[in-house]
Amino acid sequence: MNRRCVAQVVLADGADPRDAEEVAQALLSASEELGAVRASHASVHYDFAVGGGELTWDLFLESEATAGASASSLGAALVGVMNGDRLGELLPSSLGSLASRVERVEFAQPELIASGTNAPGLVGVKRTLWMRVNPAAPPDLVERFEAETPILADAIPAIRNWRWSRISKRGSGDFGEEDEEGEGRATGSKAEGGEALRWTHLWEQEFETVDGLQIDYMSSPVHWGFIDRYFDPEMPDCIIDPWLAHLACPETAPVLSWDLDR
Amino acid sequence: MEGAEPLGDTIYLIDELEIVPGQLDGFLKAFERDYRPGAESRGQRLLQRLVTPPIDTGRLADLAPVAQSVILIWELDGLAGFWGMRSQNATSEVAEWWREAGAFFVSRSRRFAASPEAVATFETIGRMNA
């Protein structure tokens, strides 16, 4: 059973920017009280984040200890995530007093393709790139994209820790199969109504500083001159929907070096 | 990245399109009318517009159709130019151009390139916080 969850939290229209910090703290507090949660980290995105929510919430869930968790609505929701319930049915209604300030929470259950941990215990900057492979993309191209993406971590030493994953479709239906023109953006906002998650892949990295992401990552020729061909809509090999969620936040604790095998 | 002089190293963009026999003139007209102005507004500067093989197929009417390719060489102002271009090319107009231009070519490739010296510079910048 996949026990890691990564979520982007989208605040409700009209929410005060300060609400993001309060929501992050509230999510941390709530998850600390749940027996099913082994580790939890929530942090507000930097201003340069685009395409997604206001904060990222990382969770590491126990696979068995769910009895205590189900005592609260949030706990029940998280147990539901683990069990593959439809993602949109879980939140924000399960967030209790936070519900009015949260529009939706998009949960992903990463299915690991590859990972690297060069700096165990690093507390730095976490960047999460949520993306969607066009459903019409040729399978051999998708396979090559999945195989080549980790080259970035090899080429850019500022990427200390990283995880490259497909996003589980279990219980999430087939979002956007007919969405070839990227018109699913509006649909994506209906997650609370039971729509499935639109994303297919998750590329997570940890840097020591923002410069590692903003300078090294964006300057590496392996990025702009090689891997970007899967993202550039003018390249024949483009298979990624231009609507990406490029999210980064400061860490208050290690995340990608969580010992998932304990 | 502000103030880092090496970021100005030129990045080249090379398009190569194998043109449907007999469609060269039509492609070039459509390219000048429907693509080049927008591309230049995104920071692409056209350095070369070449045809290979360099023959006038109109004078070879009695021969089998000759497959010709167009090679377009553009330059971008370094990383700022590259990412500036990339921040503007995910539009319906650009997608429509490539969709409709497909009638003019059999296949195409697009590659990015830099001088060997510039590659070394980019690699260095990409490892500044190693």
Side-chain angles (χ1 to χ4, degrees):
Chain A
M1 176 179 289
N2 193 318
R3 293 177 293 158
R4 251 193 101 224
C5 287
V6 184
Q8 47 170 306
V9 180
V10 182
L11 295 185
D13 282 346
D16 189 293
R18 288 170 299 186
D19 284 350
E21 286 289 354
E22 287 183 31
V23 169
Q25 288 305 314
L27 291 173
L28 284 175
S29 299
S31 52
E32 281 171 3
E33 296 168 4
L34 303 174
V37 177
R38 184 180 288 178
S40 175
H41 181 274
S43 181
V44 179
H45 299 149
Y46 292 109
D47 289 345
F48 60 79
V50 293
E54 280 73 25
L55 58 110
T56 291
W57 184 21
D58 286 271
L59 284 161
F60 182 22
L61 304 169
E62 297 283 2
S63 56
E64 295 92 14
T66 58
S70 59
S72 73
S73 59
L74 178 57
L78 294 176
V79 171
V81 170
M82 289 164 47
N83 293 333
D85 288 353
R86 285 184 68 86
L87 303 176
E89 294 172 358
L90 303 178
L91 296 164
S93 56
S94 57
L95 284 174
S97 62
L98 297 176
S100 64
R101 291 187 283 176
V102 173
E103 179 185 312
R104 68 183 189 277
V105 180
E106 298 188 14
F107 268 107
Q109 295 183 75
E111 293 178 341
L112 194 65
I113 299 171
S115 66
T117 307
N118 298 318
L122 172 67
V123 179
V125 171
K126 185 190 180 213
R127 188 263 188 147
T128 308
L129 183 66
W130 299 67
M131 66 189 91
R132 172 177 175 263
V133 170
N134 184 330
D140 59 332
L141 206 50
V142 178
E143 192 175 332
R144 199 186 330 148
F145 168 64
E146 291 185 341
E148 288 180 350
T149 294
I151 295 172
L152 287 165
D154 192 30
I156 305 167
I159 298 176
R160 300 292 197 256
N161 304 320
W162 55 279
R163 298 180 75 83
W164 170 225
S165 312
R166 296 181 201 98
I167 292 176
S168 171
K169 285 296 178 188
R170 185 178 51 161
S172 63
D174 296 316
F175 185 101
E177 284 297 329
E178 61 285 322
D179 177 31
E180 305 223 349
E181 301 300 322
E183 292 171 353
R185 188 180 296 256
T187 312
S189 67
K190 297 177 183 171
E192 175 71 359
E195 296 288 350
L197 196 65
R198 73 182 301 279
W199 314 102
T200 64
H201 288 72
L202 208 58
W203 171 227
E204 301 168 271
Q205 310 103 60
E206 278 178 337
F207 301 85
E208 287 192 20
T209 66
V210 171
D211 281 353
L213 170 60
Q214 297 279 70
I215 297 178
D216 297 41
Y217 190 89
M218 300 308 286
S219 304
S220 171
V222 174
H223 181 193
W224 58 262
F226 186 61
I227 296 295
D228 190 62
R229 73 187 192 280
Y230 295 113
F231 296 81
D232 183 341
E234 292 195 79
M235 295 290 272
D237 281 353
C238 179
I239 56 172
I240 306 296
D241 187 308
W243 176 19
L244 305 164
H246 161 60
L247 310 176
C249 58
E251 291 178 327
T252 55
V255 176
L256 294 188
S257 56
W258 280 343
D259 184 0
L260 302 179
D261 298 322
R262 274 192 297 138
Chain B
M1 292 197 273
E2 195 172 323
E5 187 62 30
L7 298 186
D9 282 358
T10 299
I11 293 172
Y12 297 91
L13 192 166
I14 304 167
D15 285 317
E16 183 163 357
L17 307 96
E18 182 183 340
I19 303 298
V20 174
Q23 294 295 318
L24 178 62
D25 287 346
F27 170 76
L28 292 175
K29 283 178 187 160
F31 166 76
E32 293 290 343
R33 184 187 63 229
D34 298 333
Y35 184 75
R36 183 175 174 179
E40 290 181 336
S41 75
R42 296 188 290 276
Q44 297 176 218
R45 281 189 304 278
L46 188 62
L47 297 181
Q48 297 287 344
R49 194 186 68 163
L50 307 171
V51 178
T52 181
I55 57 177
D56 181 351
T57 56
R59 298 176 183 275
L60 302 173
D62 294 338
L63 299 180
V66 175
Q68 282 184 299
S69 293
V70 169
I71 298 171
L72 306 168
I73 303 175
W74 311 80
E75 67 175 359
L76 295 163
D77 281 337
L79 290 167
F82 175 88
W83 289 114
M85 178 274 291
R86 283 285 288 110
S87 69
Q88 300 172 73
N89 73 343
T91 67
S92 56
E93 290 79 12
V94 174
E96 183 181 357
W97 153 256
W98 286 114
R99 199 163 41 244
E100 295 194 352
F104 292 113
F105 58 80
V106 177
S107 63
R108 76 175 178 102
S109 66
R110 168 169 283 199
R111 289 167 289 165
F112 290 93
S115 72
E117 296 76 19
V119 170
T121 301
F122 290 129
E123 285 283 0
T124 299
I125 302 170
R127 294 171 181 269
M128 280 177 69
N129 294 282

